[in-house]
Amino acid sequence: MKKILIQGAMFSEISYYLDQECFQDVEEVVINGFPFYRGKVDDKIIIVQLTKMGTINATMATMTALYEFQPDVVINQGTAGAQVRELTSGDIVIGKQAVNVHSLEMPARGYGEGIEPKEWVKMHTEYINAEEELVQFFERGFRKSDEVGNVISGTLGTGDLFSKEKDRILWLRATFGHLSEDMETFAVYQACRECGVPCVGIRVISNNELLGEPFDSATALTLQKMIWNVVTA
């Protein structure tokens, strides 16, 4: 891990990294519309990237980063909404695998026959694994943190919707078996797999619609601190 790429979709998900001393005199470099910041800690080169939100942006951003900087590992991190009742704001999910939860096919219906989303079925669904050593690395590192809530390793769900319907959330969870939903992880896993670069996705729960929790932007800061401490230790 000599050259590490850390990604976040929103500026609030990378701001803590950029406040660190190694980034104080670093100029922003924009490539293909995506901002990059390159710093150095001891013998490690750390590249922070703003991917912007959504699966298409995440794919383009990751491919740009892989070709321009050739990182040894990719850490995709940020906030996510819980898809199970057991996770609450501040809990962390390390993505042993990721799945596109909006890869669905619907049965044919005629005019006036309505729509029945719960009758949709998986379409070419695949689960892409993270690098197991990276998963274990962060599991060990987070156990040493004073700020950590619950840390669970499992499946990260990705899609281009904000799910706020409780019944839909439960149906998606039953269909795909994921713990949380974000808009980037699966796309990053797919790009890294095709390019042969180890990656891991880490998500902090910002809210749980099933429990009526409001979005908490401060969770992004907590996760960044924890990742930074583990990476630079």
Side-chain angles (χ1 to χ4, degrees):
M1 289 174 56
K2 298 297 184 183
K3 190 184 293 184
I4 303 165
L5 174 68
I6 303 177
Q7 300 175 310
M10 299 182 290
F11 191 78
S12 61
E13 296 176 343
I14 63 171
S15 59
Y16 178 80
Y17 304 123
L18 302 184
D19 285 339
Q20 303 310 303
E21 184 177 356
C22 64
F23 290 103
Q24 292 309 297
D25 297 320
V26 171
E27 290 186 5
E28 176 185 274
V29 176
V30 179
I31 305 173
N32 293 341
F34 300 103
F36 292 88
Y37 311 85
R38 178 172 170 148
K40 190 170 183 180
V41 178
D42 298 327
D43 62 339
K44 296 182 179 70
I45 295 173
I46 300 178
I47 302 155
V48 174
Q49 177 189 27
L50 181 69
T51 66
K52 305 177 185 177
M53 294 172 61
T55 55
I56 294 175
N57 277 329
T59 301
M60 294 191 298
T62 302
M63 294 300 287
T64 297
L66 297 182
Y67 278 100
E68 292 291 336
F69 296 98
Q70 293 86 48
D72 297 318
V73 297
V74 175
I75 302 168
N76 180 265
Q77 54 83 57
T79 57
Q83 302 277 278
V84 293
R85 292 184 178 90
E86 293 77 16
L87 292 173
T88 60
S89 179
D91 290 341
I92 291 173
V93 181
I94 302 174
K96 298 188 72 171
Q97 58 183 2
V99 61
N100 179 2
V101 298
H102 296 149
S103 178
L104 296 162
E105 181 178 6
M106 63 191 71
R109 288 180 179 276
Y111 295 115
E113 292 182 356
I115 55 176
E116 296 292 342
K118 287 188 177 182
E119 293 185 9
W120 299 356
V121 296
K122 292 180 180 179
M123 182 183 70
H124 309 306
T125 301
E126 80 176 309
Y127 293 77
I128 301 178
N129 294 328
E131 179 69 27
E132 182 59 30
E133 288 186 45
L134 289 174
V135 173
Q136 295 176 3
F137 175 77
F138 281 101
E139 286 175 339
R140 292 192 301 269
F142 288 166
R143 281 198 293 266
K144 301 175 183 177
S145 174
D146 295 330
E147 299 187 59
V148 68
N150 293 319
V151 178
I152 299 176
S153 297
T155 302
L156 296 173
T158 299
D160 282 311
L161 291 174
F162 283 108
S163 294
K164 292 182 177 291
E165 298 172 337
K166 291 180 172 60
D167 287 343
R168 177 179 172 80
I169 291 171
L170 293 174
W171 178 80
L172 284 172
R173 159 67 179 171
T175 302
F176 293 98
H178 55 301
L179 298 172
S180 63
E181 185 179 71
D182 63 74
M183 301 178 74
E184 294 83 29
T185 307
F186 180 81
V188 173
Y189 277 31
Q190 191 169 35
C192 288
R193 180 188 64 183
E194 298 305 319
C195 294
V197 179
C199 71
V200 66
I202 305 172
R203 294 286 162 170
V204 61
I205 300 303
S206 58
N207 66 302
N208 188 328
E209 294 288 344
L210 297 173
L211 302 179
E213 286 186 331
F215 177 80
D216 183 0
S217 61
T219 56
L221 180 62
T222 300
L223 179 60
Q224 290 172 74
K225 290 179 180 177
M226 292 171 61
I227 291 175
W228 185 258
N229 290 338
V230 172
V231 167
T232 60

